[in-house]
Amino acid sequence: MNGALTFGLLFALTAALVPAGVHLGFRARRVRETGTPAGYGLAFEAVRIPTVRGRHLFGWLLPAPDAARTVVVLHGWGSNAEQMLPIAAPLRRAGLNVLLVDARNHGGSDSDTFSSLPRFAEDLGKAIAWLKRDQLGRAEQIAVLGHSVGAGAALLETSRNRDIAAVISIAAFAHPAEVTKRYLRRLRLPHPITVLVIRYVEWLIGYRFADIAPINTVCRIACPVLLVHGRDDETVPADDARRIADRCHAPQVRLLEIPGAGHDSTDQIQRYAGELVRFLDTSWAARVLHSIRRPR
């Protein structure tokens, strides 16, 4: 009886501590912008975009004269729009409109109860809806670009949003369960605790990890996909990108590996901006051709 009682108390204590540990350990740190696109010699408009749950997103619109194509850029976990400027700037200089947004709980956007990959995707979807409603002249064709968790969110949103003509995923992980296990392995937690954490997070965010994992959502995407990954990424191994690319053997999925680049090497990726622009141009041209050929 004493053994059973002890086990019951330990289980109850663990069940009580897991939610607190998840909210504390996985909380996104807020880093606010200290500069602006003007530091890159770019004109911009600061915008506020309504999202779900009555919150608003902070963003920068970098308008290109007479351009009807826009790339929506989403940062990663604990990052912000400013940290994506090295990649966004060459896209703007290539003659594209660029909309950079902060997810909830990040940068200058409103706070919310928690952050998650699905909530990043919700915010991305609302940014696209805002473009189509309030910036219609710039929303003839829309592409999305995301980094890390933002890349996973870009793939998730593209899998269900037909307004997106192309997606660029930078440093996406293959499966959130694997990321969680890698993180918890450093804490030397018993396997049952790891499983409990995963199940609690799935309950909290309202999605099974398998349903939002980039290795699975990529198979539901019809438009062109460019996976970009640094070969020296120690946070998310480059093999994750290779597995995502090989998952469906889909001809619209391409992989671009950047030699010498780590997880946050926006400076290294910036050197390949020409390839990103060529991918977008080809994707948009293919979409126009498809719409012309489509039976009415």
PDB file of all heavy atoms in Angstrom, residues 42-65:
ATOM      1  N   LEU A  42      15.837  51.425 -47.098  1.00  0.00           N
ATOM      2  CA  LEU A  42      14.554  51.046 -47.665  1.00  0.00           C
ATOM      3  C   LEU A  42      13.427  51.886 -47.089  1.00  0.00           C
ATOM      4  O   LEU A  42      13.349  52.091 -45.870  1.00  0.00           O
ATOM      5  CB  LEU A  42      14.273  49.565 -47.375  1.00  0.00           C
ATOM      6  CG  LEU A  42      15.276  48.558 -47.938  1.00  0.00           C
ATOM      7  CD1 LEU A  42      14.968  47.165 -47.418  1.00  0.00           C
ATOM      8  CD2 LEU A  42      15.259  48.574 -49.466  1.00  0.00           C
ATOM      9  N   ALA A  43      12.539  52.347 -47.957  1.00  0.00           N
ATOM     10  CA  ALA A  43      11.322  53.011 -47.501  1.00  0.00           C
ATOM     11  C   ALA A  43      10.383  51.952 -46.936  1.00  0.00           C
ATOM     12  O   ALA A  43      10.363  50.809 -47.401  1.00  0.00           O
ATOM     13  CB  ALA A  43      10.656  53.743 -48.665  1.00  0.00           C
ATOM     14  N   PHE A  44       9.586  52.346 -45.935  1.00  0.00           N
ATOM     15  CA  PHE A  44       8.702  51.366 -45.315  1.00  0.00           C
ATOM     16  C   PHE A  44       7.518  52.053 -44.666  1.00  0.00           C
ATOM     17  O   PHE A  44       7.527  53.263 -44.419  1.00  0.00           O
ATOM     18  CB  PHE A  44       9.460  50.549 -44.263  1.00  0.00           C
ATOM     19  CG  PHE A  44       9.836  51.336 -43.022  1.00  0.00           C
ATOM     20  CD1 PHE A  44       9.038  51.283 -41.873  1.00  0.00           C
ATOM     21  CD2 PHE A  44      10.967  52.144 -43.000  1.00  0.00           C
ATOM     22  CE1 PHE A  44       9.376  52.004 -40.740  1.00  0.00           C
ATOM     23  CE2 PHE A  44      11.309  52.873 -41.874  1.00  0.00           C
ATOM     24  CZ  PHE A  44      10.509  52.801 -40.735  1.00  0.00           C
ATOM     25  N   GLU A  45       6.497  51.252 -44.387  1.00  0.00           N
ATOM     26  CA  GLU A  45       5.332  51.697 -43.630  1.00  0.00           C
ATOM     27  C   GLU A  45       5.162  50.750 -42.445  1.00  0.00           C
ATOM     28  O   GLU A  45       5.147  49.533 -42.626  1.00  0.00           O
ATOM     29  CB  GLU A  45       4.070  51.647 -44.502  1.00  0.00           C
ATOM     30  CG  GLU A  45       4.130  52.494 -45.764  1.00  0.00           C
ATOM     31  CD  GLU A  45       2.934  52.226 -46.666  1.00  0.00           C
ATOM     32  OE1 GLU A  45       1.918  51.678 -46.161  1.00  0.00           O
ATOM     33  OE2 GLU A  45       3.020  52.538 -47.865  1.00  0.00           O
ATOM     34  N   ALA A  46       5.043  51.291 -41.250  1.00  0.00           N
ATOM     35  CA  ALA A  46       4.712  50.466 -40.090  1.00  0.00           C
ATOM     36  C   ALA A  46       3.216  50.177 -40.115  1.00  0.00           C
ATOM     37  O   ALA A  46       2.408  51.086 -40.331  1.00  0.00           O
ATOM     38  CB  ALA A  46       5.099  51.178 -38.797  1.00  0.00           C
ATOM     39  N   VAL A  47       2.849  48.910 -39.929  1.00  0.00           N
ATOM     40  CA  VAL A  47       1.438  48.528 -40.044  1.00  0.00           C
ATOM     41  C   VAL A  47       1.006  47.727 -38.814  1.00  0.00           C
ATOM     42  O   VAL A  47       1.836  47.125 -38.116  1.00  0.00           O
ATOM     43  CB  VAL A  47       1.190  47.695 -41.322  1.00  0.00           C
ATOM     44  CG1 VAL A  47       1.498  48.509 -42.563  1.00  0.00           C
ATOM     45  CG2 VAL A  47       2.012  46.405 -41.319  1.00  0.00           C
ATOM     46  N   ARG A  48      -0.301  47.759 -38.562  1.00  0.00           N
ATOM     47  CA  ARG A  48      -0.923  46.933 -37.521  1.00  0.00           C
ATOM     48  C   ARG A  48      -1.960  46.052 -38.198  1.00  0.00           C
ATOM     49  O   ARG A  48      -2.844  46.556 -38.904  1.00  0.00           O
ATOM     50  CB  ARG A  48      -1.577  47.790 -36.443  1.00  0.00           C
ATOM     51  CG  ARG A  48      -0.632  48.697 -35.689  1.00  0.00           C
ATOM     52  CD  ARG A  48       0.260  47.966 -34.733  1.00  0.00           C
ATOM     53  NE  ARG A  48      -0.458  47.396 -33.594  1.00  0.00           N
ATOM     54  CZ  ARG A  48       0.135  46.696 -32.633  1.00  0.00           C
ATOM     55  NH1 ARG A  48       1.432  46.451 -32.680  1.00  0.00           N
ATOM     56  NH2 ARG A  48      -0.575  46.218 -31.625  1.00  0.00           N
ATOM     57  N   ILE A  49      -1.863  44.773 -37.997  1.00  0.00           N
ATOM     58  CA  ILE A  49      -2.699  43.809 -38.700  1.00  0.00           C
ATOM     59  C   ILE A  49      -3.527  43.025 -37.685  1.00  0.00           C
ATOM     60  O   ILE A  49      -2.965  42.419 -36.764  1.00  0.00           O
ATOM     61  CB  ILE A  49      -1.825  42.844 -39.523  1.00  0.00           C
ATOM     62  CG1 ILE A  49      -1.031  43.620 -40.582  1.00  0.00           C
ATOM     63  CG2 ILE A  49      -2.679  41.760 -40.171  1.00  0.00           C
ATOM     64  CD1 ILE A  49       0.005  42.791 -41.303  1.00  0.00           C
ATOM     65  N   PRO A  50      -4.842  43.020 -37.826  1.00  0.00           N
ATOM     66  CA  PRO A  50      -5.664  42.236 -36.889  1.00  0.00           C
ATOM     67  C   PRO A  50      -5.475  40.736 -37.100  1.00  0.00           C
ATOM     68  O   PRO A  50      -5.404  40.266 -38.230  1.00  0.00           O
ATOM     69  CB  PRO A  50      -7.099  42.661 -37.232  1.00  0.00           C
ATOM     70  CG  PRO A  50      -7.023  43.141 -38.645  1.00  0.00           C
ATOM     71  CD  PRO A  50      -5.657  43.733 -38.821  1.00  0.00           C
ATOM     72  N   THR A  51      -5.372  40.009 -36.003  1.00  0.00           N
ATOM     73  CA  THR A  51      -5.272  38.561 -36.068  1.00  0.00           C
ATOM     74  C   THR A  51      -6.360  37.963 -35.173  1.00  0.00           C
ATOM     75  O   THR A  51      -7.313  38.648 -34.804  1.00  0.00           O
ATOM     76  CB  THR A  51      -3.859  38.088 -35.684  1.00  0.00           C
ATOM     77  OG1 THR A  51      -3.762  36.671 -35.895  1.00  0.00           O
ATOM     78  CG2 THR A  51      -3.510  38.406 -34.244  1.00  0.00           C
ATOM     79  N   VAL A  52      -6.240  36.711 -34.811  1.00  0.00           N
ATOM     80  CA  VAL A  52      -7.283  36.036 -34.040  1.00  0.00           C
ATOM     81  C   VAL A  52      -7.244  36.475 -32.579  1.00  0.00           C
ATOM     82  O   VAL A  52      -6.295  37.097 -32.115  1.00  0.00           O
ATOM     83  CB  VAL A  52      -7.142  34.502 -34.146  1.00  0.00           C
ATOM     84  CG1 VAL A  52      -7.256  34.062 -35.593  1.00  0.00           C
ATOM     85  CG2 VAL A  52      -5.814  34.035 -33.560  1.00  0.00           C
ATOM     86  N   ARG A  53      -8.310  36.161 -31.861  1.00  0.00           N
ATOM     87  CA  ARG A  53      -8.423  36.418 -30.430  1.00  0.00           C
ATOM     88  C   ARG A  53      -8.318  37.908 -30.095  1.00  0.00           C
ATOM     89  O   ARG A  53      -7.910  38.279 -29.001  1.00  0.00           O
ATOM     90  CB  ARG A  53      -7.374  35.617 -29.650  1.00  0.00           C
ATOM     91  CG  ARG A  53      -7.585  34.107 -29.751  1.00  0.00           C
ATOM     92  CD  ARG A  53      -6.366  33.317 -29.281  1.00  0.00           C
ATOM     93  NE  ARG A  53      -5.966  33.669 -27.932  1.00  0.00           N
ATOM     94  CZ  ARG A  53      -6.498  33.161 -26.818  1.00  0.00           C
ATOM     95  NH1 ARG A  53      -7.473  32.274 -26.920  1.00  0.00           N
ATOM     96  NH2 ARG A  53      -6.071  33.521 -25.630  1.00  0.00           N
ATOM     97  N   GLY A  54      -8.676  38.776 -31.051  1.00  0.00           N
ATOM     98  CA  GLY A  54      -8.691  40.211 -30.813  1.00  0.00           C
ATOM     99  C   GLY A  54      -7.317  40.851 -30.729  1.00  0.00           C
ATOM    100  O   GLY A  54      -7.203  42.011 -30.323  1.00  0.00           O
ATOM    101  N   ARG A  55      -6.284  40.124 -31.120  1.00  0.00           N
ATOM    102  CA  ARG A  55      -4.928  40.673 -31.065  1.00  0.00           C
ATOM    103  C   ARG A  55      -4.545  41.325 -32.389  1.00  0.00           C
ATOM    104  O   ARG A  55      -5.194  41.133 -33.415  1.00  0.00           O
ATOM    105  CB  ARG A  55      -3.925  39.566 -30.744  1.00  0.00           C
ATOM    106  CG  ARG A  55      -3.620  39.348 -29.274  1.00  0.00           C
ATOM    107  CD  ARG A  55      -4.787  38.898 -28.477  1.00  0.00           C
ATOM    108  NE  ARG A  55      -4.398  38.555 -27.098  1.00  0.00           N
ATOM    109  CZ  ARG A  55      -5.202  38.003 -26.225  1.00  0.00           C
ATOM    110  NH1 ARG A  55      -6.463  37.744 -26.546  1.00  0.00           N
ATOM    111  NH2 ARG A  55      -4.786  37.716 -25.014  1.00  0.00           N
ATOM    112  N   HIS A  56      -3.439  42.084 -32.344  1.00  0.00           N
ATOM    113  CA  HIS A  56      -2.908  42.734 -33.538  1.00  0.00           C
ATOM    114  C   HIS A  56      -1.426  42.427 -33.690  1.00  0.00           C
ATOM    115  O   HIS A  56      -0.705  42.278 -32.702  1.00  0.00           O
ATOM    116  CB  HIS A  56      -3.123  44.251 -33.484  1.00  0.00           C
ATOM    117  CG  HIS A  56      -4.549  44.663 -33.716  1.00  0.00           C
ATOM    118  ND1 HIS A  56      -5.508  44.566 -32.735  1.00  0.00           N
ATOM    119  CD2 HIS A  56      -5.168  45.156 -34.828  1.00  0.00           C
ATOM    120  CE1 HIS A  56      -6.664  44.989 -33.217  1.00  0.00           C
ATOM    121  NE2 HIS A  56      -6.486  45.345 -34.479  1.00  0.00           N
ATOM    122  N   LEU A  57      -1.018  42.354 -34.942  1.00  0.00           N
ATOM    123  CA  LEU A  57       0.381  42.101 -35.277  1.00  0.00           C
ATOM    124  C   LEU A  57       1.055  43.399 -35.693  1.00  0.00           C
ATOM    125  O   LEU A  57       0.456  44.238 -36.367  1.00  0.00           O
ATOM    126  CB  LEU A  57       0.484  41.099 -36.430  1.00  0.00           C
ATOM    127  CG  LEU A  57      -0.287  39.783 -36.294  1.00  0.00           C
ATOM    128  CD1 LEU A  57      -0.118  38.962 -37.563  1.00  0.00           C
ATOM    129  CD2 LEU A  57       0.177  39.012 -35.072  1.00  0.00           C
ATOM    130  N   PHE A  58       2.308  43.536 -35.303  1.00  0.00           N
ATOM    131  CA  PHE A  58       3.142  44.635 -35.794  1.00  0.00           C
ATOM    132  C   PHE A  58       3.859  44.157 -37.050  1.00  0.00           C
ATOM    133  O   PHE A  58       4.260  42.990 -37.151  1.00  0.00           O
ATOM    134  CB  PHE A  58       4.168  45.021 -34.734  1.00  0.00           C
ATOM    135  CG  PHE A  58       5.225  45.980 -35.240  1.00  0.00           C
ATOM    136  CD1 PHE A  58       4.951  47.329 -35.351  1.00  0.00           C
ATOM    137  CD2 PHE A  58       6.480  45.521 -35.622  1.00  0.00           C
ATOM    138  CE1 PHE A  58       5.917  48.216 -35.821  1.00  0.00           C
ATOM    139  CE2 PHE A  58       7.451  46.386 -36.088  1.00  0.00           C
ATOM    140  CZ  PHE A  58       7.170  47.738 -36.184  1.00  0.00           C
ATOM    141  N   GLY A  59       4.006  45.055 -38.014  1.00  0.00           N
ATOM    142  CA  GLY A  59       4.723  44.679 -39.221  1.00  0.00           C
ATOM    143  C   GLY A  59       5.289  45.866 -39.964  1.00  0.00           C
ATOM    144  O   GLY A  59       4.988  47.029 -39.639  1.00  0.00           O
ATOM    145  N   TRP A  60       6.119  45.562 -40.936  1.00  0.00           N
ATOM    146  CA  TRP A  60       6.670  46.569 -41.853  1.00  0.00           C
ATOM    147  C   TRP A  60       6.300  46.173 -43.275  1.00  0.00           C
ATOM    148  O   TRP A  60       6.566  45.046 -43.707  1.00  0.00           O
ATOM    149  CB  TRP A  60       8.190  46.634 -41.769  1.00  0.00           C
ATOM    150  CG  TRP A  60       8.731  47.298 -40.538  1.00  0.00           C
ATOM    151  CD1 TRP A  60       8.257  48.398 -39.899  1.00  0.00           C
ATOM    152  CD2 TRP A  60       9.902  46.886 -39.805  1.00  0.00           C
ATOM    153  NE1 TRP A  60       9.040  48.711 -38.820  1.00  0.00           N
ATOM    154  CE2 TRP A  60      10.058  47.807 -38.725  1.00  0.00           C
ATOM    155  CE3 TRP A  60      10.819  45.850 -39.949  1.00  0.00           C
ATOM    156  CZ2 TRP A  60      11.094  47.713 -37.816  1.00  0.00           C
ATOM    157  CZ3 TRP A  60      11.861  45.748 -39.046  1.00  0.00           C
ATOM    158  CH2 TRP A  60      11.996  46.672 -37.981  1.00  0.00           C
ATOM    159  N   LEU A  61       5.714  47.081 -44.001  1.00  0.00           N
ATOM    160  CA  LEU A  61       5.473  46.894 -45.425  1.00  0.00           C
ATOM    161  C   LEU A  61       6.535  47.662 -46.190  1.00  0.00           C
ATOM    162  O   LEU A  61       6.687  48.877 -46.000  1.00  0.00           O
ATOM    163  CB  LEU A  61       4.077  47.392 -45.801  1.00  0.00           C
ATOM    164  CG  LEU A  61       3.719  47.328 -47.292  1.00  0.00           C
ATOM    165  CD1 LEU A  61       3.702  45.890 -47.786  1.00  0.00           C
ATOM    166  CD2 LEU A  61       2.374  48.001 -47.555  1.00  0.00           C
ATOM    167  N   LEU A  62       7.275  46.960 -47.026  1.00  0.00           N
ATOM    168  CA  LEU A  62       8.295  47.579 -47.875  1.00  0.00           C
ATOM    169  C   LEU A  62       7.717  47.651 -49.282  1.00  0.00           C
ATOM    170  O   LEU A  62       7.755  46.650 -50.024  1.00  0.00           O
ATOM    171  CB  LEU A  62       9.594  46.753 -47.874  1.00  0.00           C
ATOM    172  CG  LEU A  62      10.113  46.261 -46.515  1.00  0.00           C
ATOM    173  CD1 LEU A  62      11.427  45.497 -46.695  1.00  0.00           C
ATOM    174  CD2 LEU A  62      10.286  47.418 -45.548  1.00  0.00           C
ATOM    175  N   PRO A  63       7.121  48.774 -49.653  1.00  0.00           N
ATOM    176  CA  PRO A  63       6.417  48.851 -50.940  1.00  0.00           C
ATOM    177  C   PRO A  63       7.372  49.052 -52.116  1.00  0.00           C
ATOM    178  O   PRO A  63       8.328  49.837 -52.048  1.00  0.00           O
ATOM    179  CB  PRO A  63       5.508  50.064 -50.765  1.00  0.00           C
ATOM    180  CG  PRO A  63       6.245  50.941 -49.791  1.00  0.00           C
ATOM    181  CD  PRO A  63       7.010  50.022 -48.883  1.00  0.00           C
ATOM    182  N   ALA A  64       7.120  48.338 -53.203  1.00  0.00           N
ATOM    183  CA  ALA A  64       7.863  48.510 -54.453  1.00  0.00           C
ATOM    184  C   ALA A  64       6.950  49.203 -55.455  1.00  0.00           C
ATOM    185  O   ALA A  64       5.789  48.804 -55.607  1.00  0.00           O
ATOM    186  CB  ALA A  64       8.326  47.165 -54.993  1.00  0.00           C
ATOM    187  N   PRO A  65       7.412  50.224 -56.136  1.00  0.00           N
ATOM    188  CA  PRO A  65       6.558  50.959 -57.069  1.00  0.00           C
ATOM    189  C   PRO A  65       5.956  50.054 -58.140  1.00  0.00           C
ATOM    190  O   PRO A  65       6.668  49.282 -58.798  1.00  0.00           O
ATOM    191  CB  PRO A  65       7.528  51.980 -57.692  1.00  0.00           C
ATOM    192  CG  PRO A  65       8.621  52.135 -56.686  1.00  0.00           C
ATOM    193  CD  PRO A  65       8.767  50.783 -56.041  1.00  0.00           C
TER     194      PRO A  65
END
